[in-house]
Amino acid sequence: MWDQEIRAMASTHAILASTVFVATVAPKVLLRGFSVYGTHLLWMYCMAGAVGVVNVSVFWLLGISPPTKKHTVGYKLSRLVRSCLYLFLSCLFFHTVVVLYGAPLIESAVETFSLAVLLTSLTTLRCLCVLGPNVQAWIRVFSRHGAMSVWDTSLQITTGTTVIGAWLGAFPIPLDWDRPWQVWPVSCSMGSVIGFVSGLVAAPTWIHYHRKQLTYKCK
Amino acid sequence: MKRLVILSLLLWMCAVFYVGIYLFVGGFLLVRLEVNRTSTCEDVLLPAGEQGDFCPAKPRFRRAVLLIIDALRFDFARFDHANTAPRPYENKLPVFEETVSSQPSHSRLYPFRADPPTTTMQRIKGFTTGSLPTFIDVGNNFASSAILEDNLIHQLGQLGKRVVFMGDDTWESLFPKKFYRSLPFPSFNVKDLHTVDNGILQHLYSTVVGDDWDVLVAHFLGVDHCGHRFGPDHPAMADKLTQMDGVIRSVMERLQNDTLLVVMGDHGMTDTGDHGGESQKETDAALFLYSPSPLFSGPPSKSEPQVVPQTDLVPTLALQLGVPIPYSSVGQVLLPLFPPHGQMKGALEGLSQVEALWINVKQVNRFLETYSSMAKDIPPESLSKLQEQFSHVSTEYLTAVKNGLSPSPELVVSLQSYLTSVRETCRATWARFNPLKMAAGLAILLFACVLCFILSELSCLLVRESSLLKAPVVAALSIGFCVAAGQLFARGYVEVAWCLAATAIVSELLVLWRVHRVKASTALGNGAKAPKRAGWLSLHRLVTPALLVLLLRGASLLSDSYVIAEGRVVTFLIFSLGLYVPIHLNWDGLLLPANHDPLKPVGLLPAPALSPSAIRKESCTLLACLGLLVGSLYLSLSFHNCREEQGSCQPSPFLFPLSRLQNSQLKNLHYILSLASIGLWTYLLRRWLRHYGNLNSSGGAVFTARWILPLLSICLGLNWAVGATPEDSFRSMAELLSVAQVALPRTIFSLLGLGMLLLWLDPITVFLKTRASAPARSSNLPPPRYRASTGISTQAELHHLIPQIYQRMRRNLEEDDEPGEGAEADGRPAVEAYGLGTVYSAPQLLFCGLLGMGLLLLHAEGMALSFLLLLLEMGALLHIHASSTTLSSLHGTHYGGFNVPWTPVVLWSLAATQFFHATGHLPTFPSIQWGAAFVGFPGGHTGTILPASLVTLNTFSSHILFAVGCPLLLFWPLVCEVRGNRRVGGEDGEDAVMEMRLRENPQQFSSALLQLSTRYLFIHGTQVFASVCAAAILRRHLMVWKVFAPKLMFEASGFLVTSVFLLIGITLVMRVDVAVGGWFKRLIPEASR
C-alpha cells in the first residue's frame, strides 16, 4: 500500500514537473518573441495556468480530494464558489505579504499581483485540491502531527519549498549586477518555481526514506 | 541576586570587545591631524633664512597644464617595440616613447608611486597638499569634504594665478570656489565611460590656445571607469587609451615655450580594474613631463630617480611655478628638473639643485616641528633622529654658503636623504595598514563572540561561580604589565595597543579554560549522561532560524549593495523572523486549542492548563501584535534617508525641520502630527503604568511619571512651535523667541535630569494600602471612592493587587519570630500592595520613555512619528514574546526558568538597527545630523565633549532605547502571564505572581539576566565582527572608503553605545532589586507590630 501510494505520488509529481518544463518551453516554440525575462508576465501566467489546470485534473482523476458528504448540485456549486473565493483571497493575501516585504506599492502592482497569482496556483490550489475548501484543515496540515496521509506530507513539503524559494529569490534584488533576472519580480517568481520543482522531487524521496517513521492517524 | 558577578562578567566582556575594536581600528584606520597653516612668499624659514625664503627667484615657467588620467597605470604608458601581440592595454600610448626618444632634454617618463589608500579623492588630496592623506584627516570640519589644509591650488590662487579646471567633479567638492573657471562633470556613474572625457575635450583645446589661464587642470575619468566596468584587458580599454594618446598629442602641439605639461595617473588598477589597496599595480601610475623649451640639462643620466613618489610633485611644481611649497607637504623636489649648481645657462634659469633642496628641507623641517608639537603619533626616537640629521645638514650647508664654496655633491645627497627619511617616517605613521594589529583585533573579536555565546548558554552554571573572573583577570593584567615592561626594556617606549592585546587574549583564554573546567565538574556531578546530551543540544541549538537570520545579517554586511540597502534588508529580516514565530507555534500545534476527540474519555488526558478560549485569546493577541509589528515595520520605511549611491531615492519629508517647510498648511499638518504622536507616547506610557497600579504611591518615580513626563511633552511641543516660527513673522516677539529657543531645550534637559535622578533615588512604584483590621473588612469590598481616585478597574484589581505575597511573607515571619500569635495570621491581609507585580518593569519603562523624549528633542520634529512607531514596535515585540512564551509553556516545551530564547533577542536587536535607519540616520559621515549639537546651544560650544555627546545621542538614539529596554524582554512574559496557567496544586494561592516570582528565585533571575544581556551583546558583537571582517577582507574593494570603512565606524560606535546603555539598563534593574529588598525589610517589621 505504501509503495503504491508513493508511486502514485511520484508519477503525479513527475507530471507536474513536466508541466512546469512544458510551460516554459512550449510558448518559446509557439510564440515569437517569448522569453522568460523579456515577457515575464506571460511566462508567469502560462506557468500558473498550466500548473493549475494539471493540478486540478490530476487530483480530480485520482480522486484524492476528500469525499463529499452530499451529492446535490447545489452543494457542489457552493463548494466551487467557496474555492474560487478562497483562491482570490489567497491572491490578495500573498499580494499584501509581498508588499509588506518591501515590494513597491503602486509602481509595479501588476507584476506583484502576478507573482501572488503564481504563488497561489503553486500552493493554495494544491491545498484546495488535497483538502477541499476548509481553512481549518489547511492550518492543521501545517503542524508537526497534522499530516494524515502521504498527500498531506507532500503538500507540506512542496508548499514550504515554494515559499522558501520565493523568499530566497528576493536576495539578489539589491545587488548591483545589472542582470535581467534581478528585475522585480523575476527572481522571486523563478525562485518559487524552482522551489516548487525541487519540492516535487524532494517529497517522494523524503517520504520514501522516512516511510518507517511516518504513521498517519486514520481519519 | 548576584549583582557583582553579573556586572563584572558583563564589564569584562565589553572591555574585551573594546580592545578588539581598538586594535583593529588602530591598524586599519589611519588618523592624521591636519595642520591648518599656510605658507606665504614672505615666510622666513628658520634657521637663519634670507629675506623671504619662498619664491626668491623668477619662476621658471609661467604656465602649466596638468592632464590627469585617472588610473593610468605605469605599464599602460610604456611602449615596447618587441611586443608584436600587445594586449588591449599595452602599447596604446606611443606618444610618450616617441617624445622621450626624439626630445630627451624636453621630456621624461617616470613611474609615479601613489600611497595607499589609492582612491581618487585621497589621491587628489595627496598630490595637491603634498601630504599623505589618511582615511580620517582630523580637521576642522567633518561635514564637508573641502580641503582646508594648505595646498597647491590655494597657493596658486594666493599669487593671483588663474586656475582653470575641467573634469571629475570631485575637485569641485574638494576646492569649492578656488578656481578661476571650472567645468565639472558628474563622476558618480562608473558605467559611463564618455561623459566626463567628452565634456573636457569640448573645452580643452580652445582653452589651451587661449590666454586667460595660468594653470590648467583636466581630469579624465574614462580609463578608470573602463577599468571598473570591463577591466584593463578589454578592447574598450584600447579605444580609450588610443583616444588619450590623441589628446596628449594635440595638447603638446598647442603648447607655448613658457608652459610645462604634466601628464599623470593618480593611481593604477589591479587586473580586475579595481583600486584602493596597496599592491604595486594599484600604486604605480605614470608621470610624463614635457615642455617645448628644454626642461632637463641633458639626456637621462644614471642619477635619475627610479620611481617618483606622488608627494614629490607638489614641491617640484611649486618651485617651478614660483609659488610657496604648501605648509604640510612632505615631498622632495624632483632634482633632474633643476640644474646642478654652477651650470646655470641662458635657458635654464631659476633655482639650482642645492637651493631648491635647501628650501624644501627647511619647509619640511618646519612642518615636522609644528606637527610633532600638535600630535604625538610620530615615535619620539625617530623624531629626535630626524632633528639631529637636520641640524647636521643645516650647519654643513650654511658653512658652505658662508665660505662661498660651491656645495659638494655629498651635501646634495645628505639633503636628499634627510627628506627621504622624513617621508618614510610619515609614511610609516600615516599611510600603511598594520596587518598584525588588524589580525590581532580580528582574533580578539572572534574569541569574544565565541565566549559571549558560551557565557549565554552556560549562564545558569556560571552565575554560581563567584570567582570565575578574578584569577584570569589578575593573571592577564600581570601579563599585560610584563609585556609593557618588556617593551620599555627592549625598545625604550610602550605601545599600549600590544599590552592591551596581550591582556585581552590571555584573559579570554584563561576564562575559556575556567568555563571548561566548571562545565566539566558539573557534568561529572550530574553523571555520565549529561555531556553527551549537552553536546547534541548545543549543535542542535546553533541551527535555529533566529541564529540563521543573524548569520544572514552578518553576511549582508560583507556586500556593499546590502550595506547600501541596509535599512530594507534589516526590515526584511525582522519581518521574516516575526512571521516565523506563529508558523513555528502552529507547527508545534500550540497556536490553536487542541481538538478534543469526543470519543476518548476526557478524564484520562491531563486537563489542559488553559481553557481553549484563553488559548484562542492569547493566539489572537499574538496575531494582532504581529499585525502591529508588520504595520510599524512598513510605515517605518517611509522615514528613511537616502545615500548618494541610491540614485532614484527621495529622502523622507519628515526629516527636514519644520522651519524649512514653506507651505504653511503642510507645516501645520506636520506639527499637529508630531504633537499627536508625542501626546500618544505620553498617554500610552501613563496608561500602562496606571493599568498595573504603578501611579498610586507618592515616591520619586511616580512623581516623575505623573508630572515630569507630561511636562516634558508640553515643553517639547512648545519648543517645536518656537523652532518652526518663521523669523520675520513676529518681529515684536523676536527677543522672546530667541530666549525661548535657548530656555526651552535647557528646561527639557534639566527636567530629564531631574526625572532620572528621582527615578534612581526612589524607583519603587508600589502603593501600600492598609486596610481596616481583619474581621471588619473580611467581606467588605474596598470603598468605591478609593478605587475611583486611583483609576483601577475591578478587573485590574483582581489581577494586580498582590496581597498574597505579602501575606505569605508575613506568615513566614510570624512563624519564625512570633509563633504564639497565630490568631492574627488568620485575619488575612491587612495590607495590599498596588503595582507590586510590575515593580521591576515600571521604572525600566519609565526610564525608556523619559530617554526617548530627550532623544526626540535632538531630532527633527517629524521624527516624533517614527519614535511613536518605535514605541509601538517595542510593545508589539514584547507582547509577541510574552504570548509565545505563554502558549509554549502550556505544553511544557518552554523549559523552566525565566530564560529569554534567541528569537525575541534577535528581533529586538535587529529592531535597533531598523530604527537607526527609520530615524533618518545612515552609516555615512555626510548624513550625521550635526544640527543636534546646537539644540539648546544656538551660539555654539566652547568645548568638544558636549556637542560630540549630543551628536552621538542623536545618531544612536534607537540603539540606546533598545539597549536600555532590553531587560523588559525578561519581565514581559511575567507581566502578561495568564493566571490560569499555573499548576493546579495546593500552594497555588500562596505562589508568587508576576514579577514577584523573580524575587522568589534570585538564582534563576540572575542567570536569566546574565543570559539576556550576553545574548544581546553577542548579537551586536557578531555584527561588529562581520563588519570588521568586511573591512579586512575587502580592503582593496572600490567601495572600501565609501561604504565599508564608514559602516565599520558606525557599527563599532553603535556597539560602544549599546553596551554602555545595556549596562545602564542592567544597573537600573539591580537598583530596583536593592530597593525592593529594602522595602520588604522595612515593611515587614512595621506591619507585624
Side-chain angles (χ1 to χ4, degrees), chain B residues 847-868:
Chain B
F847 189 64
C848 274
L850 283 179
L851 209 58
M853 205 81 92
L855 293 172
L856 181 53
L857 173 67
L858 302 176
H859 282 82
E861 294 85 346
M863 283 297 117
L865 285 171
S866 166
F867 270 71
L868 183 68

Side-chain angles (χ1 to χ4, degrees), chain B residues 678 681 685 709 712 716 720 748 752 756 844-859 863-864 866-868 870-871 874 919 953 957-958 960-962 964 1061:
Chain B
I678 190 81
W681 169 282
L685 282 175
L709 202 63
L712 268 178
L716 206 52
W720 289 337
I748 294 177
L752 263 180
M756 284 176 190
Q844 204 79 28
L845 200 69
L846 194 58
F847 189 64
C848 274
L850 283 179
L851 209 58
M853 205 81 92
L855 293 172
L856 181 53
L857 173 67
L858 302 176
H859 282 82
M863 283 297 117
S866 166
F867 270 71
L868 183 68
L870 186 147
L871 190 73
M874 257 186 180
T919 44
L953 286 177
S957 43
S958 92
I960 291 171
L961 286 176
F962 278 95
V964 166
F1061 278 87

Side-chain angles (χ1 to χ4, degrees), chain B residues 110 301-309 311-312 315-316 330-341 352-362 364-365 386 389-390 392-394 396-397 407-425:
Chain B
Y110 296 113
S301 64
K302 275 181 192 159
S303 62
E304 290 281 312
Q306 292 287 319
V307 172
V308 178
T311 45
D312 292 3
T316 312
V330 291
Q332 179 185 146
V333 288
L334 198 54
L335 273 194
L337 277 160
F338 296 90
H341 197 76
S352 75
Q353 282 184 355
V354 182
E355 283 165 349
L357 271 175
W358 176 236
I359 291 174
N360 194 351
V361 163
K362 284 195 289 185
V364 166
N365 183 58
L386 287 174
Q389 207 176 346
F390 174 73
H392 173 73
V393 172
S394 65
E396 201 173 317
Y397 178 83
S408 60
E410 287 81 45
L411 182 60
V412 173
V413 173
S414 54
L415 285 168
Q416 269 183 301
S417 80
Y418 170 73
L419 288 170
T420 314
S421 41
V422 170
R423 221 188 86 82
E424 282 314 307
T425 312

Side-chain angles (χ1 to χ4, degrees), chain B residues 600-891:
Chain B
K600 288 185 181 172
V602 182
L604 285 181
L605 293 166
L610 213 57
S611 63
S613 69
I615 294 185
R616 210 160 268 146
K617 196 179 153 211
E618 205 60 38
S619 305
C620 285
T621 319
L622 181 92
L623 292 180
C625 286
L626 189 70
L628 183 63
L629 170 72
V630 168
S632 46
L633 279 178
Y634 191 70
L635 287 180
S636 78
L637 285 179
S638 54
F639 294 97
H640 281 207
N641 203 344
C642 289
R643 290 178 75 112
E644 60 171 316
E645 288 91 346
Q646 294 169 312
S648 61
C649 168
Q650 282 292 323
S652 157
F654 295 102
L655 276 173
F656 305 110
L658 277 185
S659 47
R660 272 206 227 151
L661 282 179
Q662 296 302 322
N663 185 346
S664 69
Q665 218 165 355
L666 200 66
K667 206 180 206 173
N668 287 342
L669 183 70
H670 273 215
Y671 182 65
I672 288 169
L673 273 178
S674 307
L675 268 194
S677 11
I678 190 81
L680 204 56
W681 169 282
T682 317
Y683 170 74
L684 284 175
L685 282 175
R686 283 187 46 127
R687 171 74 219 262
W688 188 90
L689 292 172
R690 179 183 293 263
H691 177 76
Y692 286 100
N694 290 104
L695 277 188
N696 299 323
S697 72
S698 54
V702 179
F703 177 78
T704 310
R706 273 193 176 169
W707 299 111
I708 294 187
L709 202 63
L711 205 61
L712 268 178
S713 55
I714 292 170
C715 282
L716 206 52
L718 280 179
N719 182 42
W720 289 337
V722 169
T725 346
E727 276 174 24
D728 47 352
S729 58
F730 298 102
R731 282 274 159 80
S732 51
M733 290 161 68
E735 261 178 48
L736 188 71
L737 282 180
S738 67
V739 168
Q741 230 157 14
V742 181
L744 277 173
R746 290 191 184 180
T747 320
I748 294 177
F749 286 138
S750 41
L751 275 177
L752 263 180
L754 180 70
M756 284 176 190
L757 190 73
L758 284 176
L759 198 59
W760 180 261
L761 289 178
D762 184 14
I764 298 280
T765 52
V766 180
F767 177 63
L768 274 182
K769 188 185 164 221
T770 317
R771 301 212 166 172
S773 64
R777 59 114 265 147
S778 57
S779 60
N780 278 1
L781 282 171
R785 183 179 55 82
Y786 176 76
R787 231 189 288 145
S789 69
T790 52
I792 290 185
S793 66
T794 332
Q795 194 240 349
E797 188 164 350
L798 279 176
H799 269 88
H800 310 297
L801 296 188
I802 320 252
Q804 289 98 334
I805 172 67
Y806 167 68
Q807 185 196 357
R808 181 177 167 192
M809 297 202 72
R810 212 184 93 174
R811 192 179 301 159
N812 286 347
L813 197 88
E814 281 162 358
E815 277 165 14
D816 290 345
D817 297 345
E818 298 158 295
E821 286 197 344
E824 206 187 298
D826 285 338
R828 298 265 112 181
V831 174
E832 289 179 346
Y834 287 74
L836 193 57
T838 50
V839 68
Y840 287 100
S841 43
Q844 204 79 28
L845 200 69
L846 194 58
F847 189 64
C848 274
L850 283 179
L851 209 58
M853 205 81 92
L855 293 172
L856 181 53
L857 173 67
L858 302 176
H859 282 82
E861 294 85 346
M863 283 297 117
L865 285 171
S866 166
F867 270 71
L868 183 68
L869 282 181
L870 186 147
L871 190 73
L872 290 178
E873 188 171 321
M874 257 186 180
L877 284 175
L878 287 171
H879 273 290
I880 288 174
H881 167 50
S883 307
S884 70
T885 312
T886 314
L887 284 175
S888 46
S889 70
L890 292 182
H891 293 245

Side-chain angles (χ1 to χ4, degrees), chain B residues 112-434:
Chain B
F112 193 39
R113 185 159 293 165
D115 302 293
T118 47
T119 50
T120 299
M121 207 252 271
Q122 260 78 14
R123 290 300 99 232
I124 295 176
K125 254 181 158 174
F127 63 71
T128 52
T129 59
S131 181
L132 303 160
T134 54
F135 172 58
I136 305 171
D137 290 335
V138 180
N140 272 1
N141 62 341
F142 226 144
S144 95
S145 50
I147 298 183
L148 291 180
E149 264 191 309
D150 194 9
N151 59 65
L152 206 55
I153 307 294
H154 173 77
Q155 289 297 345
L156 290 167
Q158 287 286 303
L159 285 193
K161 302 242 177 198
R162 291 161 296 175
V163 184
V164 175
F165 165 74
M166 48 188 77
D168 183 352
D169 58 0
T170 314
W171 285 75
E172 189 56 33
S173 64
L174 290 178
F175 304 103
K177 296 175 190 156
K178 294 267 181 183
F179 297 116
Y180 175 70
R181 198 149 67 86
S182 163
L183 299 162
F185 299 97
S187 65
F188 184 66
N189 187 359
V190 177
K191 300 207 165 64
D192 177 4
L193 266 54
H194 300 296
T195 307
V196 176
D197 293 4
N198 292 346
I200 296 172
L201 290 183
Q202 270 184 6
H203 304 281
L204 180 64
Y205 303 134
S206 55
T207 313
V208 171
V209 173
D211 206 31
D212 58 342
W213 60 277
D214 292 310
V215 173
L216 172 65
V217 179
H219 193 140
F220 294 92
L221 277 181
V223 176
D224 180 53
H225 284 187
C226 185
H228 284 308
R229 189 164 175 197
F230 303 112
D233 208 359
H234 191 276
M237 185 61 93
D239 297 344
K240 205 76 223 177
L241 289 175
T242 313
Q243 183 194 13
M244 287 300 123
D245 187 71
V247 171
I248 296 163
R249 279 171 204 275
S250 330
V251 171
M252 279 166 64
E253 280 165 18
R254 290 170 170 81
L255 289 183
Q256 293 172 7
N257 272 346
D258 58 353
T259 311
L260 174 68
L261 170 70
V262 180
V263 181
M264 57 185 271
D266 57 346
H267 50 74
M269 61 170 79
T270 62
D271 287 333
T272 54
D274 295 323
H275 56 86
E278 48 190 330
S279 70
Q280 198 173 343
K281 284 193 165 159
E282 288 161 279
T283 55
D284 276 15
L287 172 68
F288 175 72
L289 300 166
Y290 170 80
S291 171
S293 59
L295 188 58
F296 298 91
S297 49
S301 64
K302 275 181 192 159
S303 62
E304 290 281 312
Q306 292 287 319
V307 172
V308 178
Q310 208 176 49
T311 45
D312 292 3
L313 186 71
V314 171
T316 312
L317 273 183
L319 291 184
Q320 292 286 347
L321 291 170
V323 297
I325 304 177
Y327 198 94
S328 34
S329 155
V330 291
Q332 179 185 146
V333 288
L334 198 54
L335 273 194
L337 277 160
F338 296 90
H341 197 76
Q343 291 187 19
M344 313 245 256
K345 287 173 277 175
L348 292 172
E349 51 199 24
L351 298 161
S352 75
Q353 282 184 355
V354 182
E355 283 165 349
L357 271 175
W358 176 236
I359 291 174
N360 194 351
V361 163
K362 284 195 289 185
Q363 170 265 328
V364 166
N365 183 58
R366 176 179 66 165
F367 165 68
L368 202 64
E369 277 178 356
T370 318
Y371 188 81
S372 58
S373 69
M374 280 168 60
K376 298 280 170 265
D377 53 354
I378 299 178
E381 89 270 9
S382 42
L383 259 184
S384 60
K385 213 177 278 174
L386 287 174
Q387 212 56 48
E388 201 176 299
Q389 207 176 346
F390 174 73
S391 56
H392 173 73
V393 172
S394 65
T395 44
E396 201 173 317
Y397 178 83
L398 287 176
T399 43
V401 169
K402 203 179 277 173
N403 301 342
L405 296 172
S406 70
S408 60
E410 287 81 45
L411 182 60
V412 173
V413 173
S414 54
L415 285 168
Q416 269 183 301
S417 80
Y418 170 73
L419 288 170
T420 314
S421 41
V422 170
R423 221 188 86 82
E424 282 314 307
T425 312
C426 293
R427 246 180 81 90
T429 323
W430 298 330
R432 216 170 273 156
F433 288 132
N434 192 335

